Coordinates of all heavy atoms in Angstrom, one line a residue:
Chain S
Q284 N 55.3 -7.6 32.5 CA 55.9 -6.5 31.8 C 55.3 -6.2 30.5 O 55.0 -5.0 30.1 CB 57.4 -6.7 31.7 CG 58.2 -6.4 32.9 CD 59.6 -7.0 32.8 OE1 60.1 -7.1 31.7 NE2 60.2 -7.3 33.9
K285 N 55.1 -7.2 29.7 CA 54.5 -7.0 28.4 C 53.1 -6.5 28.4 O 52.8 -5.6 27.7 CB 54.5 -8.4 27.6 CG 54.0 -8.1 26.2 CD 54.2 -9.3 25.2 CE 53.8 -8.8 23.8 NZ 52.5 -8.2 23.7
F286 N 52.3 -7.0 29.3 CA 51.0 -6.5 29.5 C 51.0 -5.0 29.9 O 50.2 -4.3 29.5 CB 50.2 -7.4 30.5 CG 49.6 -8.6 29.9 CD1 50.0 -9.1 28.7 CD2 48.6 -9.3 30.6 CE1 49.4 -10.2 28.1 CE2 48.0 -10.4 30.1 CZ 48.4 -10.9 28.8
R287 N 51.9 -4.7 30.8 CA 52.0 -3.3 31.2 C 52.3 -2.4 30.0 O 51.7 -1.4 29.9 CB 53.1 -3.1 32.3 CG 52.8 -1.9 33.2 CD 53.8 -2.0 34.5 NE 53.7 -3.2 35.2 CZ 54.7 -3.9 35.6 NH1 55.9 -3.6 35.4 NH2 54.5 -5.1 36.3
R288 N 53.3 -2.8 29.2 CA 53.6 -2.0 28.0 C 52.4 -1.9 27.1 O 52.2 -0.9 26.5 CB 54.8 -2.7 27.3 CG 56.1 -2.4 27.8 CD 57.2 -2.7 26.7 NE 57.1 -4.0 26.2 CZ 57.6 -5.1 26.7 NH1 58.3 -5.0 27.9 NH2 57.5 -6.3 26.1
D289 N 51.6 -3.0 27.0 CA 50.5 -3.0 26.1 C 49.3 -2.3 26.6 O 48.3 -2.1 25.9 CB 50.1 -4.5 25.8 CG 51.1 -5.2 24.9 OD1 51.9 -4.5 24.3 OD2 50.9 -6.4 24.8
G290 N 49.4 -1.9 27.9 CA 48.3 -1.1 28.5 C 47.2 -2.1 29.0 O 46.1 -1.6 29.3
I291 N 47.5 -3.3 29.2 CA 46.6 -4.2 29.8 C 46.8 -4.2 31.3 O 47.9 -4.4 31.8 CB 46.8 -5.7 29.4 CG1 46.6 -5.8 27.8 CG2 45.8 -6.7 30.1 CD1 46.9 -7.1 27.2
E292 N 45.7 -3.8 32.1 CA 45.9 -3.6 33.5 C 45.8 -4.9 34.2 O 44.9 -5.7 34.0 CB 44.8 -2.6 34.0 CG 45.2 -2.1 35.4 CD 44.1 -1.2 36.0 OE1 43.5 -0.4 35.1 OE2 43.7 -1.3 37.1
V293 N 46.8 -5.3 35.0 CA 46.8 -6.5 35.8 C 46.6 -6.2 37.3 O 47.4 -5.5 37.9 CB 48.1 -7.3 35.6 CG1 48.0 -8.6 36.4 CG2 48.3 -7.6 34.1
Q294 N 45.5 -6.7 37.8 CA 45.2 -6.4 39.2 C 45.4 -7.8 40.0 O 44.6 -8.6 40.0 CB 43.7 -6.0 39.4 CG 43.4 -4.7 38.7 CD 42.6 -3.8 39.6 OE1 42.4 -4.0 40.8 NE2 42.1 -2.7 39.0
T295 N 46.6 -7.9 40.6 CA 46.8 -9.1 41.3 C 46.4 -9.1 42.8 O 46.1 -8.0 43.3 CB 48.3 -9.4 41.3 OG1 49.0 -8.3 41.7 CG2 48.8 -9.8 39.9
G296 N 46.3 -10.2 43.4 CA 45.8 -10.2 44.8 C 44.4 -9.8 45.0 O 44.1 -9.2 46.1
C297 N 43.6 -10.0 44.0 CA 42.2 -9.5 44.2 C 41.2 -10.7 44.0 O 41.4 -11.6 43.1 CB 41.8 -8.5 43.0 SG 42.4 -6.9 43.4
R298 N 40.2 -10.8 44.8 CA 39.2 -11.8 44.7 C 37.9 -11.2 44.3 O 37.4 -10.3 44.9 CB 39.1 -12.5 46.1 CG 38.6 -14.0 46.0 CD 38.8 -14.7 47.3 NE 38.1 -14.0 48.4 CZ 36.7 -14.1 48.6 NH1 36.0 -14.8 47.8 NH2 36.2 -13.4 49.6
V299 N 37.3 -11.8 43.3 CA 36.0 -11.3 42.9 C 34.9 -11.8 43.8 O 34.8 -13.0 44.2 CB 35.7 -11.8 41.4 CG1 34.3 -11.4 41.0 CG2 36.7 -11.2 40.5
I300 N 34.1 -10.9 44.3 CA 33.0 -11.2 45.3 C 31.7 -11.4 44.6 O 31.0 -12.3 44.9 CB 32.8 -10.0 46.3 CG1 34.2 -9.7 47.0 CG2 31.8 -10.4 47.3 CD1 34.1 -8.5 47.8
S301 N 31.4 -10.6 43.6 CA 30.2 -10.8 42.8 C 30.3 -10.1 41.5 O 31.1 -9.2 41.3 CB 29.0 -10.3 43.6 OG 29.0 -8.9 43.6
V302 N 29.4 -10.6 40.6 CA 29.4 -10.0 39.2 C 27.9 -9.7 38.9 O 27.1 -10.5 39.0 CB 30.0 -10.9 38.2 CG1 30.0 -10.2 36.8 CG2 31.3 -11.4 38.5
S303 N 27.6 -8.4 38.5 CA 26.3 -8.1 38.1 C 26.4 -7.8 36.6 O 27.5 -7.8 36.0 CB 25.7 -6.9 38.8 OG 26.3 -5.7 38.3
D304 N 25.3 -7.5 35.9 CA 25.3 -7.2 34.5 C 26.1 -6.0 34.1 O 26.5 -5.8 33.0 CB 23.9 -7.2 33.9 CG 23.0 -6.1 34.6 OD1 23.4 -5.7 35.6 OD2 22.0 -5.8 34.0
K305 N 26.3 -5.1 35.1 CA 27.0 -3.9 34.8 C 28.3 -3.7 35.5 O 29.2 -3.0 35.1 CB 26.1 -2.7 35.2 CG 24.7 -2.6 34.6 CD 24.7 -1.9 33.3 CE 23.3 -1.7 32.8 NZ 22.7 -3.0 32.4
E306 N 28.4 -4.4 36.7 CA 29.6 -4.2 37.5 C 30.2 -5.5 38.0 O 29.5 -6.5 38.1 CB 29.2 -3.3 38.8 CG 29.1 -1.9 38.5 CD 28.8 -1.1 39.7 OE1 28.3 -1.7 40.7 OE2 29.2 0.1 39.8
I307 N 31.5 -5.4 38.4 CA 32.2 -6.5 39.0 C 32.8 -6.0 40.3 O 33.4 -5.0 40.3 CB 33.2 -7.2 38.0 CG1 33.9 -8.3 38.6 CG2 34.2 -6.1 37.5 CD1 34.6 -9.2 37.5
K308 N 32.4 -6.7 41.4 CA 32.8 -6.3 42.7 C 34.0 -7.2 43.2 O 33.9 -8.4 43.1 CB 31.7 -6.4 43.7 CG 31.8 -5.5 44.9 CD 30.7 -5.7 45.9 CE 29.6 -4.7 45.7 NZ 28.5 -4.9 46.7
M309 N 35.0 -6.6 43.7 CA 36.2 -7.4 44.2 C 36.8 -6.8 45.4 O 36.6 -5.7 45.8 CB 37.2 -7.5 43.0 CG 37.7 -6.2 42.5 SD 38.7 -6.5 41.1 CE 39.3 -4.9 40.7
K310 N 37.6 -7.7 46.0 CA 38.2 -7.4 47.3 C 39.7 -7.5 47.2 O 40.2 -8.5 46.7 CB 37.7 -8.4 48.3 CG 37.9 -8.0 49.8 CD 37.3 -9.1 50.7 CE 37.2 -8.7 52.1 NZ 36.5 -9.7 52.9
K311 N 40.4 -6.5 47.6 CA 41.9 -6.5 47.6 C 42.2 -7.4 48.8 O 41.9 -7.1 49.9 CB 42.4 -5.1 47.8 CG 43.8 -4.9 47.5 CD 44.1 -4.3 46.1 CE 45.6 -4.5 45.8 NZ 45.8 -4.7 44.4
K312 N 43.0 -8.5 48.5 CA 43.3 -9.5 49.6 C 44.1 -8.8 50.7 O 43.9 -9.0 51.9 CB 44.0 -10.7 49.1 CG 43.1 -11.7 48.5 CD 44.0 -12.9 48.0 CE 43.2 -14.1 47.5 NZ 44.1 -15.1 47.0

Side-chain angles (χ1 to χ4, degrees):
Chain S
Q284 279 166 27
K285 182 167 188 314
F286 275 16
R287 205 170 304 133
R288 279 199 306 277
D289 287 348
I291 300 173
E292 197 181 319
V293 179
Q294 301 224 7
T295 51
C297 281
R298 203 168 58 78
V299 173
I300 305 172
S301 70
V302 184
S303 78
D304 58 344
K305 305 270 186 294
E306 283 186 331
I307 180 162
K308 199 184 266 183
M309 56 186 183
K310 196 179 191 174
K311 194 101 194 148
K312 277 180 174 178

